[in-house]
Amino acid sequence: MPQVVRSRIRALHGPPPVTPLPHRARSLADRDAVAVLHRAARVLLDALPELTDRLVEALREQEPAYRAAMETEAAEIWQEVHHSLRHNVASLIQPREFREAAHRTSRWIGETRAEQGVPLDAVMHAFRMGGAMVWQDLVDDTARRSPEDTRLLVHVAADVWNFVDEHCAVVAEAYRQAERRLSWRRENRQRLMTAALLDGTARIADLPDAAAMLGLPVHGRYAVLAVAAARRAPHGAGEPPVTLPDDTPALWHSAGELELAIIPLGPASADVEPPAEGEAEPAPTAEPAAGLDLLAAELTAPAGTRTGISSVVEGLASVGDARRLAETALRACPASGGTILLDEHLPAALVVSSPGLGTALAARVLGPLDRLDPADRDVLIETLTAWLDSDGSAQRAGARLYCHRNTVLNRLRRFEQLTGRCLTRPSDAVEVSLALAARRLLVG
C-alpha cells in the first residue's frame, strides 16, 4: 500500500482537471471507506499545528518563491497554510458545511499570491504538496491504528485527489483573475501618468514614481513626436503609427486624433560626469537636435501621415513643453504629409503659432497678387518660392522651374512692382518668406 501511495503523490505534479469527476453511486465498501476516511481526518484535525509546521518547512526547502516570502512574513505564511489545511481537511468530513469556506480560502490565497507576485507555478506546487502530505498522513494514521482498514482507502482515493485538483483549479482561476485586474490597473495607471506628463499636469512630487513606473530618467533629455495619421488604426490595434529607427525607445500615448510618443534621448547635459584627473577631454558632442536629425531622416510612415518632432527639452517635468512644441511642428507640416523637425522650421513654427497674425501677414504682403489671374498669380508665387529655396540664385531657381534665369528675374521684378517689396532688402525678404509660409500653411 505505501508504494501505491508514494506513486500517487508523484502523479500530483501533472496537470489537474478543471472540473471534478461526476458523482457516482457508492457501494457498501465505499461507505466503509468513507467512515475510515472521516476517522483519520478527525485525527488530522487534532494534529493540525504539527501538520502545518511540516508543510511550511517543506515549502521552505522545496519552493524558492515561498522561501523568499518567509523571510519577511513567516507568521502570515504559517497562518495561511493552517487556515487552508483546516478548511480543506474539514471539507473531507463535512463537505456541505465547509466546501464553500474552503473555496473562499483557496480563492483568497490565489488572489493574494498574485498581488505579491509569487509565480502561479509556485502556488500550485504548494497546494499539491499540501494535498500529498494530507493524503499520506491519512494513510499513515489508518495503517498505524487499523492496518486492516488501509485497503479501504483505495475506494476514496479518487475522491480525495479530485478534491485536491478542484482546489488547484480554484486557485489558478482566482490567480489569473487577480493578475488581469492588476495588469489593467497597472496599464491604466501608466496611461494616466503618461497623459499627465504630456499635458504638463504631473506634480513634481510624483515625478520619481512616474520615472520608476515608466522606466524613464527624471533628469534625462526628451523629445516628443506628434503624429496625425491619414488613416487611424482600429482602436487597440497596438501598432505605432510610424516606424522609428531601430533601437529607438518610445513611449506611445493616444490623445484624441493624435498619437504622441515620448522619446528619451539619454542623460541630461548636467549629468555627464567630467573626465577623471589625467584623462583626455572627450570629443565635443553634437547639438541635441543632431540625434533628432537622424530620427527625422530614418522615420518611415504611411502616405499622408503628418509628423511633428519637438526640440529637445531637459527633464521629465518638461515633457509637456515638448508636447506643445511637437504639435506646433505638426501644424507646420504640409497637408499632404511629411515630417517636420521643429528646430529646422522655426520661421514656419512662428507663423502657425499665431494663425491670426500669420494670416494677416500673408494678406498684407501677398494680397496684391490676388487681383491677378489665378494662373498668373500661381506662377509668380512658384517662382518666388523656388528663388528663396535656392538661396536667392536665379540660375538654380531657373533649373528647378525649367526656364531661363532672366525669366526668373523678370518675374521677381514684377512681384516687387505689384507688392512694393524689395527682395534685396533683408526686412522685406523676411516678411515675404514668412508670408509665403503663412499662405502655404494657413491660407491654402
Side-chain angles (χ1 to χ4, degrees), residues 29-273:
D30 288 339
R31 289 194 291 272
D32 292 341
V34 169
V36 172
L37 175 66
H38 288 178
R39 195 161 53 243
R42 290 189 183 94
V43 173
L44 211 59
L45 278 177
D46 293 337
L48 209 55
E50 179 191 356
L51 175 59
T52 303
D53 288 340
R54 286 191 287 119
L55 180 52
V56 168
E57 187 57 33
L59 286 172
R60 187 192 303 274
E61 293 177 358
Q62 301 180 36
E63 186 46 67
Y66 274 81
R67 187 185 311 139
M70 288 176 190
E71 296 297 327
T72 56
E73 49 180 32
E76 290 83 352
I77 296 291
W78 194 96
Q79 289 294 339
E80 174 187 299
V81 172
H82 185 269
H83 200 60
S84 178
L85 287 173
R86 179 162 58 85
H87 281 94
N88 289 338
V89 174
S91 294
L92 296 177
I93 305 171
Q94 296 176 289
R96 291 183 179 178
E97 289 81 355
F98 288 94
R99 183 175 184 272
E100 183 53 37
H103 277 196
R104 283 198 302 269
T105 300
S106 296
R107 283 194 293 269
W108 179 83
I109 292 174
E111 293 172 355
T112 301
R113 291 300 164 221
E115 292 171 357
Q116 294 174 340
V118 177
L120 177 57
D121 287 347
V123 182
M124 299 292 283
H125 185 208
F127 264 77
R128 289 165 181 154
M129 288 175 62
M133 193 170 286
V134 167
W135 172 251
Q136 192 61 54
D137 279 13
L138 292 172
V139 173
D140 290 347
D141 180 77
T142 302
R144 186 170 54 253
R145 294 173 181 272
S146 305
E148 69 280 1
D149 291 338
T150 303
R151 59 182 178 78
L152 291 173
L153 289 179
V154 173
H155 296 274
V156 293
D159 293 334
V160 173
W161 298 120
N162 284 339
F163 177 84
V164 173
D165 291 344
E166 177 185 341
H167 277 267
C168 284
V170 169
V171 169
E173 179 59 24
Y175 186 101
R176 293 188 183 101
Q177 288 181 356
E179 202 171 37
R180 286 193 291 270
R181 287 197 302 271
L182 290 170
S183 177
W184 181 87
R185 290 173 188 167
R186 182 169 54 253
E187 291 173 0
N188 190 52
R189 192 176 175 205
Q190 288 176 343
R191 282 194 297 271
L192 292 175
M193 189 60 73
T194 303
L197 290 173
L198 289 165
D199 292 342
T201 57
R203 300 186 305 172
I204 297 298
D206 292 335
L207 291 180
D209 289 341
M213 183 190 308
L214 302 175
L216 300 172
V218 174
H219 302 294
R221 298 181 306 143
Y222 294 95
V224 169
L225 267 65
V227 182
R231 295 182 180 178
R232 288 181 61 83
H235 181 69
E239 290 294 330
V242 298
T243 302
L244 302 178
D246 292 340
D247 301 325
T248 301
L251 179 61
W252 287 97
H253 178 76
S254 295
E257 294 299 316
L258 298 182
E259 295 290 335
L260 304 172
I262 300 175
I263 308 293
L265 299 171
S269 54
D271 294 338
V272 179
E273 297 183 1

Side-chain angles (χ1 to χ4, degrees), residues 376-390 393-394 397-398 401 403-405 407-413 415 423 436:
D376 193 15
R377 176 199 62 202
D378 293 344
V379 166
L380 289 182
I381 289 177
E382 182 184 21
T383 302
L384 183 60
T385 301
W387 180 76
L388 289 171
D389 291 343
S390 301
S393 170
L401 299 172
C403 64
H404 195 274
R405 64 181 297 276
T407 303
V408 173
L409 294 174
N410 289 335
R411 292 173 182 173
L412 295 179
R413 280 194 291 270
F415 171 82
L423 294 176
L436 285 173

